[in-house]
C-alpha cells in the first residue's frame, strides 16, 4: 500500500543558514514525483528529511495521516536508491538484494523467491552469483533498484541515481525505472538536477531554488507555462527579450520590443510597465513581412530539426528551431531575416518581480 507524502512548512537549518524555507508539497499515492533544481537548492536535504536521515527543524512531514518527524529511519517503510549505489562489495548480487529482507526478518523460506522475482524485474537474474566488481555501472544500478523494490516499501526515495552513468545508459535506465514504478505503483520521490531526465520520467515536478519551491506541475505545465523567469530559464532553452507592456486592457495588451516590433497579448490582470518575453526556440518563426530584424550567424542541421543562432540588430543572440517535417531547405549563414513570436505560446514576465503576467 503506497502512502501519500504530505510536507507542510518544512524547515531545515544548519546554524545560521536555512537550507529549506517553509516548503509544502502534497505527493499523491503511487505518484512519480521529482524534486528538480540546481546544486544547493535543497532537494537532497528534503529527500533526506523524508527518509529520516535529517532532522526536521520546523513544520511536519506525514505519510498519509501519520506525522513521521520523529520516526526513526528504519521504521518509515521506505526504500532508498543512492547516487553511489551503496551496494556491499563482499556480497553477491543475490545476497545484496536479500539483505533488506533479512533485516526486516522476512521468513527464510520466502527470501529466495522474492530475490529471484526482484532480479527478474530488473533483468539481471543471470548475474545473481556475481560480485559488484564484476558488474558494469548499469548492472550495479539495477542491483540497487532490485534491493529497494524487493522490500515492497510504501515510499521509494531516489537520490540522483543515474548521475554516475554515461549519457546513453542514463536514458536506458530512466526508462527501466519509469516502467518499474508504473508496474509496482510505489509512491516515488526522485531527486535530479537534469531537466531532460525530470521531464521524461515524472508525473509531476517541483522546481526548487535556494530552499524554496518555485513551481509544481506536470512536465508539460513546467515546460510550456513557467510561472516565473527562473523556471523558464532553468527548464530547457528560453530566449528572453526585453519589452514594454501597455496593458490597461489586459485582453488586448500592446507589447513593444524596443520600438522595433509590436505585438498583442492577453494578460491575467491589467499591467503597464517594463517586462520581458520568454520564448522557446520552437515558439519563434521566420516571418516574411514583420518581426525583429537580424542575421543568421549559425545554422546547425540536427536531423529532425534545424537550430538557428540569430544575431538581432539590437545585438542580442537568440535561438530558433525549425522542424524538418515543415521545411525543405536549411537557410544559409549570413541571411537577413525577420523573427516573430507565437503569442499563444510565449510567456511574459514583469521585470520587477519576474512573475508571469500573460495568460
Amino acid at each position: 500500500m503506497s502512502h501519500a507524502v504530505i510536507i507542510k512548512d518544512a524547515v531545515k537549518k544548519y546554524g545560521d543558514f536555512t537550507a529549506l524555507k517553509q516548503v509544502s508539497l502534497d505527493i499523491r499515492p503511487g505518484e512519480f514525483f521529482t524534486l528538480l533544481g540546481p546544486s544547493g537548492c535543497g532537494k537532497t536535504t528534503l529527500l533526506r528529511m523524508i527518509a529520516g536521515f535529517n532532522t526536521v527543524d520546523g513544520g511536519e512531514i506525514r505519510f498519509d495521516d501519520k506525522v513521521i518527524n520523529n520516526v526513526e529511519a528504519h521504521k518509515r517503510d521506505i526504500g532508498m536508491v543512492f547516487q553511489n549505489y551503496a551496494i556491499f562489495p563482499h556480497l553477491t548480487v543475490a545476497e545484496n538484494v536479500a539483505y533488506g529482507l533479512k533485516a526486516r526478518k522476512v521468513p527464510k523460506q520466502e527470501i529466495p523467491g522474492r530475490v529471484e522475482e526482484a532480479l527478474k524485474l530488473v533483468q539481471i537474474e543471470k548475474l545473481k552469483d556475481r560480485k559488484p566488481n564484476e558488474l558494469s555501472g548499469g548492472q550495479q544500478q539495477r542491483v540497487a533498484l532490485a534491493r529497494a523494490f524487493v522490500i515492497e516499501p510504501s515510499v521509494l526515495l531516489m537520490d540522483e541515481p543515474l548521475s554516475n552513468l554515461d549519457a546513453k545508459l542514463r536514458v536506458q535506465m530512466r526508462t527501466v525505472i519509469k516502467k518499474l514504478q508504473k508496474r509496482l505503483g510505489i509512491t516515488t520521490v526522485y531527486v535530479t538536477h537534469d531537466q531532460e531526465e525530470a521531464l521524461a520520467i515524472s508525473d509531476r515536478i517541483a522546481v526548487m531554488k535556494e530552499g524554496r519551491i518555485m513551481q509544481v506541475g506536470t512536465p508539460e505545465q513546467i515546460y510550456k507555462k513557467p510561472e516565473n523567469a527562473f523556471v523558464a530559464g532553468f527548464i530547457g532553452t528560453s530566449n528572453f527579450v526585453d519589452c514594454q507592456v501597455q496593458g490597461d486592457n489586459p485582453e488586448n495588451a500592446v507589447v513593444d520590443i524596443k520600438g522595433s516590433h509590436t505585438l498583442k497579448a492577453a494578460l491575467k490582470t491589467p499591467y503597464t510597465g517594463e517586462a520581458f518575453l520568454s520564448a522557446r526556440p520552437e515558439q519563434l518563426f521566420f516571418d516574411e513581412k514583420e518581426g525583429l530584424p537580424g542575421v543568421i550567424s549559425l545554422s546547425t542541421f540536427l536531423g529532425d530539426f534545424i537550430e538557428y543562432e540569430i544575431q538581432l540588430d539590437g545585438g542580442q543572440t537568440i535561438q530558433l528551431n525549425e522542424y524538418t517535417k515543415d521545411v525543405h531547405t536549411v537557410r544559409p549563414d549570413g541571411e537577413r531575416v525577420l523573427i516573430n513570436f507565437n503569442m499563444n505560446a510565449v510567456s511574459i514576465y514583469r521585470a520587477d518581480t519576474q512573475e508571469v503576467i500573460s495568460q
Side-chain angles (χ1 to χ4, degrees):
M1 181 69 181
S2 289
H3 293 310
V5 180
I6 295 113
I7 301 161
K8 185 171 176 59
D9 297 328
V11 174
K12 181 61 187 174
K13 295 182 178 181
Y14 296 100
D16 295 332
F17 174 67
T18 304
L20 278 186
K21 303 166 184 174
Q22 293 189 306
V23 167
S24 294
L25 290 170
D26 191 345
I27 301 168
R28 302 159 189 156
E31 185 173 32
F32 199 119
F33 193 93
T34 296
L35 304 174
L36 172 67
S39 296
C41 71
K43 55 189 186 295
T44 294
T45 297
L46 179 56
L47 191 80
R48 291 178 64 84
M49 289 166 71
I50 298 170
F53 302 151
N54 286 349
T55 56
V56 180
D57 297 328
E60 67 178 31
I61 299 175
R62 288 188 282 126
F63 285 177
D64 297 329
D65 295 327
K66 181 181 179 181
V67 177
I68 61 164
N69 288 33
N70 299 314
V71 175
E72 296 173 62
H74 68 278
K75 295 181 180 178
R76 292 194 181 193
D77 194 20
I78 61 165
M80 186 89 185
V81 180
F82 298 92
Q83 181 177 346
N84 62 355
Y85 316 142
I87 55 180
F88 300 115
H90 62 288
L91 300 181
T92 66
V93 167
E95 289 167 342
N96 265 283
V97 175
Y99 183 83
L101 296 173
K102 292 177 180 177
R104 291 187 172 213
K105 297 184 170 33
V106 171
K108 286 184 179 180
Q109 65 272 20
E110 290 184 24
I111 291 176
R114 287 179 62 172
V115 168
E116 189 76 18
E117 184 181 357
L119 294 177
K120 283 180 180 178
L121 271 175
V122 296
Q123 300 177 333
I124 55 169
E125 64 269 26
K126 294 180 181 178
L127 306 177
K128 65 181 181 179
D129 295 322
R130 292 193 187 180
K131 294 286 184 66
N133 64 356
E134 301 175 276
L135 304 177
S136 67
Q139 289 167 341
Q140 290 184 45
Q141 188 57 273
R142 287 172 189 258
V143 175
L145 285 170
R147 188 179 57 187
F149 284 126
V150 76
I151 61 173
E152 299 177 359
S154 297
V155 177
L156 179 64
L157 307 176
M158 309 184 82
D159 187 9
E160 305 222 31
L162 306 183
S163 60
N164 290 333
L165 305 179
D166 64 51
K168 185 176 180 180
L169 195 52
R170 276 204 305 272
V171 173
Q172 292 175 355
M173 285 304 301
R174 77 187 187 202
T175 302
V176 168
I177 289 170
K178 186 172 184 178
K179 286 181 177 178
L180 281 171
Q181 193 273 341
K182 293 296 180 192
R183 178 175 171 180
L184 299 172
I186 299 173
T187 306
T188 299
V189 187
Y190 188 96
V191 162
T192 184
H193 64 273
D194 186 315
Q195 304 108 46
E196 181 181 313
E197 188 173 292
L199 292 172
I201 209 168
S202 312
D203 294 324
R204 285 192 303 152
I205 299 167
V207 182
M208 298 183 67
K209 176 190 177 186
E210 296 175 353
R212 298 187 188 278
I213 303 293
M214 304 303 290
Q215 184 174 350
V216 177
T218 66
E220 185 177 13
Q221 289 167 341
I222 294 286
Y223 184 84
K224 290 186 175 180
K225 292 293 181 183
E227 292 179 358
N228 50 69
F230 175 79
V231 175
F234 186 73
I235 304 290
T237 300
S238 289
N239 300 291
F240 293 103
V241 180
D242 292 336
C243 61
Q244 180 76 31
V245 174
Q246 177 61 51
D248 294 336
N249 176 7
E251 293 296 321
N252 198 29
V254 177
V255 180
D256 182 59
I257 302 177
K258 293 185 177 178
S260 59
H261 187 40
T262 301
L263 301 156
K264 293 293 182 71
L267 306 182
K268 293 179 178 180
T269 56
Y271 174 76
T272 296
E274 297 292 324
F276 54 88
L277 283 168
S278 168
R280 305 288 188 190
E282 66 272 17
Q283 294 167 350
L284 300 172
F285 62 94
F286 294 113
D287 198 320
E288 300 304 319
K289 296 180 181 179
E290 60 181 0
L292 293 176
V295 175
I296 295 175
S297 55
L298 183 66
S299 56
T300 306
F301 180 80
L302 293 170
D304 57 343
F305 69 96
I306 306 154
E307 180 182 286
Y308 292 100
E309 191 176 281
I310 299 151
Q311 175 115 29
L312 300 178
D313 285 1
Q316 183 177 355
T317 298
I318 62 172
Q319 182 181 318
L320 181 154
N321 291 349
E322 273 194 329
Y323 288 85
T324 49
K325 68 180 179 60
D326 301 322
V327 295
H328 303 292
T329 58
V330 179
R331 294 174 183 257
D333 295 354
E335 179 180 324
R336 285 201 62 80
V337 291
L338 294 172
I339 306 302
N340 217 327
F341 300 78
N342 177 358
M343 293 305 290
N344 292 323
V346 304
S347 298
I348 304 171
Y349 301 93
R350 288 178 57 137
D352 51 0
T353 65
Q354 301 197 354
E355 295 299 313
V356 68
I357 57 174
S358 53
Q359 285 189 4

